[in-house]
Amino acid sequence: MEQALVVEELRKNYGRYEAVKGISFSVQPGEIFALIGPNGAGKTTTLRIIATILAPSSGQVRVYNMSIGRDNEKIRQNISYLPEEAGAYKNLTGIGYLRFMADIFASDQRSRQEYVDTAVAICGLKNRLNDKIGSYSKGMTRKLLLARSIMTKPKLAILDEPTSGLDVLNALEIRQTIKEYAKAGMTVLVSSHNMLEIEYLCERVAIIDRGVIHQIGTPTELKTKYQAGNLEEVFAEVAK
Amino acid sequence: MRRFITLLKKELREQLTWQMILPFLLVVLVFLFIGNLTGKETKKALAPQKIAVLDEDRTPVSQTVIDSLTQSNFNVRTYTGITESSLVASAKNEGIATALVIPAGFEAEIAGNRSQPLTVYNIIRNFSFTGSVGNRVASQALDTINEALSNQLIAQKISGIDPLQLKKPVFPKNFVIIGARTAAVSPDQVTGFIMSQTTFLPIVMFLVIVIAAQMIAVSVAAEKENKTLETLLSTPISRTALVFAKMTAAGIVSLMIAVIYMFGFRYYMNGVTGFNAGEAFNPEMAAAIQQLGLMLDLPAYILLGISLFLSILIALAISLILGASAEDVKKAQGLVAPITFLIMIPYFLTMFIDLEGASPLLKYFVYFIPFSHPFLAAPNLFIHNYLSVIYGILYQTVFFMILVAAATRIFATDRILTLKLNFKKSGFK
Ligand SMILES: Nc1ncnc2c1ncn2[C@@H]1O[C@H](COP(=O)(O)OP(=O)(O)O)[C@@H](O)[C@H]1O
Ligand SMILES: [Mg+2]
């Protein structure tokens, strides 16, 4: 079966500093896969490379058999990326922003409307969509952006810390939406430094620290292996 | 192309907000208001000036004084048989700023060849520009009176000779030569005319560049700060479209600001100088200007416009690159601030230094700064030196294209996300 994402021996240097030190993992279609690790582990760097906005220093990345570097144009048609701590254009209205992003991906008026309708349904912002984004709370903005990143039904959604900084209820809603769309066949790659919540969201996780992946497996597998109660305890063991 | 239009619309919607436009409209309204007001005041100042005269002499000579003032277009109010303090009181009452006293025995003293003091009361109400117009009335009145009396005296003492010929044996007959053209006109008038035609151009360019540079740098830096740029970079939009949409939107906004300012400025200048560019100011003067070829024709205006617009575009491209190199909005604002100096340097250098006579080093330094060329263009166009203006425009175009290529290059590589220009640390990180 064709893999959704294959990362092989990926390295990234910022000048002399090596942020990612030869990591490898793969993700199945329809799977929710998480990169978990502390701040500065190299999660964002890895996701940016897969999102085609940073060039790898060495190694291979393939998204549905399209190679990063060679097929960037094609990959961009098939992925969506939600950056960490992302905001949106403050002077646009929520609906204006969705229309703008839909315009970028849609090839005709009909699919554009379809994207916008999908996003409107997902974000649940209703009338507030007619207000300027500058007036939104953090939770509202995140819901709008998440809706934007999955409205085009991308083959691979790359979500960098999608719930960080949100209150419990907003985080829960976001996780539910992600799960729902993965069930419908979308592959999801998320990152998080909150290892507890990731158990509820992901099928498999990779534990990354200081640019190196230490373990890959389902949360249950990892907890059994280290005889830990949760993933945080697993990480504490792994990081030793 | 479709995506470019989408982006362009987004840029304009982001940048053209009321918070952004309102300050300009206010500035222009203030200009219009001041222009209108000073226009009215200037007209008032040019109207016949009122002057109060207390005639204590009541002789033919004192009458000559009064007549000479009336003939020189003063609005004379004559009093007799009152005290000096009631003269001042009535003048104040009537809103007259200048009051003269012709003392008793005036005629006799003049006939005896003794110069006479003439008491002048200057009533100052305020120290504004238009308020000071009143101050000049007194000295003008005195000149008029001296002229009339000395003419009379000369005519009495030396008969058969024109007093004017005695007082001014020579007078200038001015010619101004520009290139191969000559016209009978005074040089002051010509330079005054040129100044009135071009002074506002650099000011408008300066203001537009300062505002537009901030705007585009902040817009890019804000996209970096909000991560909207990362989002766009992960979509099928081409890097070139990103750069061009930003440039085009900022270009459109700059043009708008430029037009608004030009309009406001022209109106303001017309008000302040009482000089309407549309009207024929003085037929002889107009003929002389025409004869000297100093009227900018349409091609000249177009060349000047291109040179100005290219300067704005270059400033925008530099600001785009600086904005892309900044971590956040605040740093971006700090980075573009020095562009102001890049404009000031050629402005002052071209104003105070004759480049033709300057050292080659200085000359090429000025030529190298792309913002010099509009300042150099205006004088060149007045003397029909189109070729050097065109060379300047070509240089600016090349400069601009290099900048755009550099900007596109930055957007196409990691650098758009990793560049962190910081003056404290040394350069690139
Ligand atoms: N543009 C950059 N220039 C230099 N170093 C960077 C840059 N971006 C990230 N780093 C460094 O790379 C490491 C990994 O960062 P990042 O991928 O953002 O980690 P995470 O997302 O896991 O918190 C960190 O030590 C960070 O300081
Ligand atoms: Mg991160």
Side-chain angles (χ1 to χ4, degrees):
Chain A
M1 192 168 103
E2 185 192 40
Q3 308 259 36
L5 171 67
V6 179
V7 176
E8 284 168 358
E9 280 302 307
L10 178 66
R11 286 174 192 278
K12 178 65 185 178
N13 298 320
Y14 294 115
R16 251 174 289 151
Y17 179 73
E18 192 170 40
V20 174
K21 301 171 177 146
I23 62 171
S24 304
F25 62 95
S26 57
V27 182
Q28 307 298 320
E31 192 178 23
I32 306 182
F33 187 95
L35 280 178
I36 59 175
N39 290 327
K43 304 182 294 293
T44 298
T45 304
T46 308
L47 298 196
R48 279 175 165 178
I49 291 171
I50 299 168
T52 72
I53 63 179
L54 281 187
S57 300
S58 73
Q60 286 284 319
V61 179
R62 285 191 303 279
V63 178
Y64 287 92
N65 262 336
M66 299 170 281
S67 283
I68 291 278
R70 208 188 53 210
D71 308 319
N72 283 356
E73 302 281 317
K74 250 166 54 191
I75 292 175
R76 288 173 189 148
Q77 309 266 5
N78 291 288
I79 61 165
S80 75
Y81 172 51
L82 175 60
E84 184 179 3
E85 294 283 320
Y89 304 100
K90 294 191 176 65
N91 290 326
L92 294 192
T93 60
I95 193 77
Y97 175 67
L98 293 176
R99 289 195 185 120
F100 162 63
M101 291 303 290
D103 261 335
I104 292 175
F105 283 93
S107 47
D108 55 50
Q109 205 56 35
R110 208 175 50 84
S111 55
R112 171 189 192 241
Q113 195 52 48
E114 213 177 287
Y115 293 162
V116 173
D117 291 344
T118 309
V120 169
I122 297 170
C123 72
L125 291 176
K126 309 214 167 73
N127 285 340
R128 293 301 306 273
L129 279 174
N130 295 319
D131 296 342
K132 287 202 171 174
I133 296 174
S135 72
Y136 287 11
S137 69
K138 203 168 178 181
M140 291 166 70
T141 309
R142 196 68 61 82
K143 284 182 204 164
L144 179 74
L145 294 182
L146 180 71
R148 185 274 300 161
S149 26
I150 54 189
M151 69 183 179
T152 52
K153 308 216 165 61
K155 286 170 122 177
L156 173 65
I158 302 160
L159 313 174
D160 197 356
E161 311 251 7
T163 59
S164 81
L166 296 188
D167 60 52
V168 182
L169 289 182
N170 275 317
L172 189 68
E173 271 185 67
I174 298 253
R175 286 201 299 269
Q176 279 167 348
T177 309
I178 295 172
K179 271 186 160 168
E180 211 174 293
Y181 271 78
K183 252 192 214 126
M186 183 175 77
T187 310
V188 181
L189 174 64
V190 298
S191 79
S192 181
H193 66 271
N194 181 343
M195 303 174 196
L196 294 179
E197 71 157 15
I198 238 54
E199 291 194 45
Y200 304 110
L201 180 63
C202 297
E203 276 122 38
R204 283 195 307 139
V205 302
I207 296 180
I208 182 169
D209 188 25
R210 277 165 280 184
V212 180
I213 289 184
H214 294 282
Q215 286 291 331
I216 300 180
T218 65
T220 325
E221 276 170 17
L222 295 179
K223 281 188 290 190
T224 319
K225 185 168 174 188
Y226 290 93
Q227 296 178 345
N230 58 43
L231 283 180
E232 254 175 20
E233 290 171 25
V234 173
F235 178 76
E237 284 297 315
V238 168
K240 269 183 188 167
Chain B
M1 195 61 199
R2 182 179 60 82
R3 292 198 177 109
F4 169 76
I5 305 275
T6 302
L7 270 177
L8 181 60
K9 276 197 284 192
K10 184 271 287 179
E11 293 294 341
L12 288 174
R13 223 173 290 154
E14 260 294 279
Q15 292 176 17
L16 281 182
T17 57
W18 282 112
Q19 292 101 296
M20 195 250 143
I21 299 168
L22 223 54
F24 294 109
L25 292 185
L26 279 181
V27 166
V28 171
L29 276 183
V30 169
F31 268 138
L32 294 188
F33 180 71
I34 297 177
N36 210 337
L37 211 68
T38 48
K40 274 187 198 141
E41 291 296 320
T42 314
K43 275 209 191 86
K44 236 194 259 169
L46 293 178
Q49 294 297 333
K50 291 188 197 163
I51 188 165
V53 179
L54 172 57
D55 185 0
E56 293 178 333
D57 194 40
R58 280 187 261 177
T59 56
V61 169
S62 72
Q63 193 54 46
T64 307
V65 168
I66 293 167
D67 290 347
S68 72
L69 288 175
T70 313
Q71 276 159 24
S72 299
N73 208 20
F74 284 92
N75 187 348
V76 186
R77 179 90 25 113
T78 318
Y79 297 88
T80 49
I82 58 170
T83 61
E84 291 194 10
S85 55
S86 37
L87 169 74
V88 170
S90 334
K92 268 188 184 161
N93 255 347
E94 309 247 337
I96 300 176
T98 312
L100 283 183
V101 181
I102 306 174
F106 183 71
E107 184 184 51
E109 294 293 315
I110 295 281
N113 286 338
R114 285 180 293 277
S115 286
Q116 279 299 291
L118 209 56
T119 309
V120 184
Y121 291 102
N122 299 283
I123 303 162
I124 296 180
R125 284 191 188 77
N126 64 59
F127 291 94
S128 75
F129 168 72
T130 43
S132 72
V133 170
N135 301 354
R136 267 174 283 151
V137 173
S139 65
Q140 281 167 7
L142 242 71
D143 286 348
T144 306
I145 293 168
N146 269 327
E147 189 74 17
L149 288 182
S150 76
N151 285 353
Q152 207 176 49
L153 287 173
I154 292 168
Q156 280 168 8
K157 310 222 160 170
I158 315 168
S159 58
I161 291 182
D162 182 0
L164 209 63
Q165 200 277 325
L166 270 186
K167 288 195 291 187
K168 283 189 180 165
V170 297
F171 57 92
K173 195 160 180 273
N174 271 309
F175 287 92
V176 165
I177 300 172
I178 292 175
R181 294 158 185 255
T182 307
V185 64
S186 94
D188 289 346
Q189 282 176 303
V190 172
T191 42
F193 169 78
I194 298 291
M195 294 283 266
S196 75
Q197 292 297 288
T198 52
T199 38
F200 69 99
L201 285 180
I203 301 174
V204 167
M205 180 178 107
F206 184 78
L207 290 174
V208 171
I209 286 183
V210 167
I211 295 158
Q214 282 287 336
M215 205 179 64
I216 192 168
V218 164
S219 125
V220 185
E223 292 229 28
K224 276 182 88 167
E225 206 178 311
N226 296 332
K227 312 289 175 77
T228 48
L229 184 61
E230 287 184 41
T231 308
L232 291 182
L233 290 172
S234 73
T235 68
I237 295 173
S238 76
R239 272 56 179 158
T240 327
L242 269 177
V243 170
F244 276 75
K246 282 245 178 274
M247 288 294 301
T248 312
I252 290 173
V253 175
S254 309
L255 269 186
M256 257 181 48
I257 302 173
V259 168
I260 292 175
Y261 269 152
M262 296 257 219
F263 173 76
F265 242 104
R266 251 211 130 84
Y267 197 88
Y268 170 76
M269 291 296 275
N270 290 349
V272 172
T273 57
F275 169 88
N276 195 329
E279 282 167 23
F281 23 117
N282 159 354
E284 285 158 45
M285 173 74 185
I289 293 293
Q290 195 85 51
Q291 206 174 329
L292 288 170
L294 289 180
M295 286 301 205
L296 287 188
D297 49 7
L298 191 62
Y301 270 118
I302 291 174
L303 285 178
L304 191 58
I306 293 175
S307 185
L308 283 168
F309 193 55
L310 274 169
S311 300
I312 293 173
L313 286 180
I314 288 170
L316 289 177
I318 295 176
S319 312
L320 181 70
I321 292 174
L322 290 175
S325 316
E327 254 172 290
D328 53 41
V329 171
K330 269 215 184 95
K331 294 234 172 65
Q333 284 170 329
L335 282 174
V336 293
I339 291 184
T340 322
F341 291 107
L342 274 185
I343 309 167
M344 304 265 253
I345 293 171
Y347 176 49
F348 285 114
L349 283 181
T350 51
M351 196 154 66
F352 294 118
I353 295 173
D354 178 19
L355 274 189
E356 291 304 317
S359 77
L361 195 69
L362 182 65
K363 199 156 125 182
Y364 286 110
F365 173 67
V366 172
Y367 286 155
F368 172 75
I369 300 177
F371 305 115
S372 305
H373 295 275
F375 300 122
L376 298 170
N380 270 323
L381 289 171
F382 278 118
I383 56 170
H384 299 268
N385 194 353
Y386 289 94
L387 202 59
S388 62
V389 176
I390 290 170
Y391 281 141
I393 286 176
L394 286 179
Y395 172 71
Q396 285 182 301
T397 309
V398 171
F399 202 101
F400 174 62
M401 292 200 307
I402 292 172
L403 286 173
V404 169
T408 315
R409 184 90 201 106
I410 290 176
F411 272 74
T413 60
D414 276 14
R415 259 165 288 183
I416 184 65
L417 296 179
T418 55
L419 260 187
K420 284 176 189 168
L421 267 194
N422 203 335
F423 281 141
K424 279 187 201 132
K425 292 170 194 167
S426 62
F428 296 81
K429 188 184 152 189

